[in-house]
């Protein structure tokens, strides 16, 4: 086997090897591209799910903010109600102490004046009559002295009776205030009870919302990590695809080069074989020509092509 034949066979084998390698690389490219596209689709799906979860997170955040404002408002209301109850309770205790003191004072003054009820207006009228009598009537000194003492005595009694009546009025006023104040405190206690129940309900809602937020944050973090992991895989598949694409381009270029070279080799061999064939025919024609036998026009052209006519002349 000639060197040219070996070279052509070698080139043919290279073509086979290159085509096989191209097929393998193309298969790997298709696999890498499919995996990349699948991963990118999953990334898109996870990104859409993450957007939905983030929207839910914002809604939860708004709900928590609203509940926090409601809790703050209720807490301020509770503080005010407690302050009002404390103030009214202190007022109630103060009135009770005042009532107790007034009752003692009233009892003592009543005991001092006597058990008989004395009319304040009637007593005032008697004093005014005596004063009028004293001022308009000439009385003997001893009678005048008696009248003055009587006036003084009645005035002393009048002062005590007036104070007693004032005490009675204050006692009645306080006794009227106490039930109303107790009713107000009872109403505040009921409002406190209702407000505390509402506050505790909001507190439970807040805890539930925060728990949902915590679970949502964990889910978002987990999905984000999963998305980033798959995105990294997609990038790796893409880099592999780009590398294989470059390798495929190089193989195709090499395949084209070897194919051209093979065609050139085969063409050269074909030309050499044709020339050898024609040269053999030219030698046969030359023998006939040397013997003086007739030759055809084609044989004559062959003798001219291979420069054999000159040899006859020599």
């Amino acid at each position: 086997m000639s060197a040219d034949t070996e070279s052509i066979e070698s080139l043919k084998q290279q073509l086979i090897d290159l085509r096989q390698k191209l097929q393998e690389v193309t298969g790997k490219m298709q696999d890498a591209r499919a995996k990349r596209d699948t991963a990118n689709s999953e990334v898109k799906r996870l990104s859409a799910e993450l957007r939905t979860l983030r929207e839910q997170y914002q809604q939860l955040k708004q709900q928590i903010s609203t509940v926090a404002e409601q809790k703050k408002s209720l807490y301020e209301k509770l503080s005010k109600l407690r302050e009002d109850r404390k103030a009214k309770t202190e007022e109630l205790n103060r009135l009770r102490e005042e009532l107790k003191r007034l009752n003692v004072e009233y009892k003592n003054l009543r005991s001092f004046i006597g058990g008989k009820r004395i009319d304040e207006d009637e007593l005032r009228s008697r004093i005014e009559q005596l004063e009028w009598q004293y001022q308009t009537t000439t009385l003997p000194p001893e009678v005048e002295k008696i009248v003055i003492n009587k006036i003084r005595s009645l005035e002393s009694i009048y002062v005590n009776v007036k104070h007693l009546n004032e005490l009675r009025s204050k006692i009645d006023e306080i006794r009227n205030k106490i039930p109303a104040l107790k009713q107000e405190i009872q109403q505040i206690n009921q409002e406190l009870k209702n407000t505390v129940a509402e506050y505790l309900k909001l507190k439970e809602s807040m805890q539930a919302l925060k728990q949902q937020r915590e679970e949502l944050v964990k889910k978002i973090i987990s999905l984000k990590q999963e998305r980033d992991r798959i995105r990294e895989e997609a990038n790796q598949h893409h880099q592999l695809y780009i590398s294989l694409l470059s390798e495929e381009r190089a193989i195709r270029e090499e395949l084209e080069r070897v194919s051209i070279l093979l065609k050139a080799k085969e063409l050269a061999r074909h030309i050499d074989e044709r020339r050898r064939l024609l040269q053999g025919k030219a030698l046969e024609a030359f023998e006939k020509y040397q013997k003086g036998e007739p030759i055809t026009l084609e044989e004559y052209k062959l003798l001219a092509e291979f420069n054999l006519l000159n040899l006859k002349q020599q």
Side-chain angles (χ1 to χ4, degrees):
M1 185 179 291
S2 65
D4 287 342
T5 302
E6 290 180 358
S7 177
I8 289 172
E9 293 302 321
S10 174
L11 289 173
K12 286 182 177 179
Q13 186 60 45
Q14 288 184 47
L15 283 177
I16 293 172
D17 294 341
L18 285 170
R19 288 192 182 104
Q20 183 178 357
K21 189 173 183 181
L22 179 63
Q23 187 177 5
E24 292 175 358
V25 170
T26 301
K28 290 179 181 179
M29 282 177 59
Q30 292 174 348
D31 181 64
R33 182 170 56 192
K35 288 180 179 178
R36 179 200 64 187
D37 294 344
T38 300
N40 282 332
S41 297
E42 183 66 9
V43 167
K44 289 179 181 178
R45 186 190 70 79
L46 291 175
S47 294
E49 189 173 350
L50 277 170
R51 281 194 298 272
T52 301
L53 292 178
R54 288 192 176 106
E55 289 173 0
Q56 293 177 10
Y57 176 83
Q58 290 300 323
Q59 292 173 359
L60 270 178
K61 186 178 178 182
Q62 182 59 43
Q63 290 177 9
I64 289 172
S65 177
T66 300
V67 173
E69 287 297 323
Q70 293 174 346
K71 276 186 63 184
K72 181 182 177 182
S73 177
L74 283 179
Y75 184 81
E76 291 173 352
K77 183 179 179 181
L78 284 172
S79 298
K80 187 177 184 303
L81 286 172
R82 289 189 177 107
E83 289 176 0
D84 290 346
R85 183 179 65 178
K86 180 180 178 183
K88 292 185 182 299
T89 301
E90 289 176 351
E91 177 65 11
L92 179 61
N93 292 333
R94 186 190 69 77
L95 288 176
R96 283 171 173 168
E97 289 296 322
E98 180 70 6
L99 181 62
K100 182 178 179 181
R101 183 187 68 78
L102 290 175
N103 278 329
V104 171
E105 185 176 355
Y106 180 85
K107 183 178 179 181
N108 292 336
L109 186 58
R110 183 78 180 172
S111 177
F112 175 75
I113 294 173
K116 184 179 178 181
R117 185 175 181 83
I118 302 174
D119 187 88
E120 180 180 344
D121 293 336
E122 183 181 346
L123 186 59
R124 179 74 258 177
S125 177
R126 287 180 61 190
I127 292 171
E128 289 175 351
Q129 288 175 4
L130 287 173
E131 287 177 342
W132 175 256
Q133 182 182 359
Y134 174 76
Q135 293 173 1
T136 59
T137 306
T138 303
L139 299 172
E142 60 277 10
V143 175
E144 183 178 336
K145 184 177 181 181
I146 291 172
V147 171
I148 291 172
N149 289 335
K150 184 64 174 178
I151 290 172
R152 288 175 178 172
S153 176
L154 289 175
E155 284 180 340
S156 176
I157 293 172
Y158 175 78
V159 169
N160 288 329
V161 169
K162 184 178 181 181
H163 184 53
L164 186 69
N165 290 335
E166 289 174 348
L167 287 174
R168 179 75 266 170
S169 178
K170 288 182 180 179
I171 288 171
D172 291 341
E173 181 183 355
I174 291 174
R175 282 178 176 172
N176 289 331
K177 282 183 178 180
I178 286 177
L181 199 56
K182 289 170 70 176
Q183 181 65 26
E184 289 179 10
I185 292 172
Q186 186 176 358
Q187 290 175 352
I188 291 175
N189 284 334
Q190 184 59 43
E191 191 172 0
L192 268 170
K193 182 179 178 181
N194 295 338
T195 305
V196 166
E198 188 177 356
Y199 181 84
L200 291 176
K201 187 177 178 181
L202 279 177
K203 189 176 180 181
E204 290 178 359
S205 297
M206 176 67 83
Q207 290 175 345
L209 287 171
K210 287 183 176 179
Q211 181 65 29
Q212 291 179 35
R213 182 182 64 180
E214 183 178 347
E215 292 174 357
L216 194 58
V217 167
K218 289 180 180 178
K219 192 172 182 180
I220 288 173
I221 292 173
S222 176
L223 275 179
K224 186 176 181 300
Q225 290 175 345
E226 179 69 7
R227 184 195 64 180
D228 292 345
R229 182 185 66 78
I230 295 175
R231 178 179 286 166
E232 179 61 27
E233 288 181 0
N235 290 336
Q236 291 175 0
H237 291 313
H238 181 67
Q239 292 302 319
L240 177 59
Y241 176 77
I242 295 300
S243 176
L244 290 170
L245 186 63
S246 177
E247 185 177 354
E248 184 206 33
R249 188 179 298 112
I251 292 173
R252 287 187 183 278
E253 290 174 356
E254 179 66 12
L255 191 61
E256 184 178 3
R257 187 190 69 80
V258 172
S259 179
I260 292 172
L261 182 59
L262 177 59
K263 288 179 180 179
K265 289 282 187 181
E266 288 178 336
L267 180 60
R269 186 178 67 175
H270 177 71
I271 291 172
D272 288 342
E273 289 177 351
R274 180 178 178 278
R275 187 171 182 80
R276 284 195 298 272
L277 178 62
L278 291 176
Q279 189 175 20
K281 289 181 177 181
L283 290 175
E284 290 176 0
F286 181 69
E287 288 179 1
K288 290 167 63 178
Y289 181 65
Q290 282 185 327
K291 294 177 181 178
E293 296 177 3
I295 59 175
T296 65
L297 179 60
E298 291 299 325
E299 289 175 332
Y300 182 80
K301 289 180 179 180
L302 286 173
L303 292 175
E305 181 180 346
F306 288 98
N307 201 22
L308 295 176
L309 292 175
N310 295 332
L311 291 177
K312 170 68 175 174
Q313 296 173 358
Q314 293 174 359

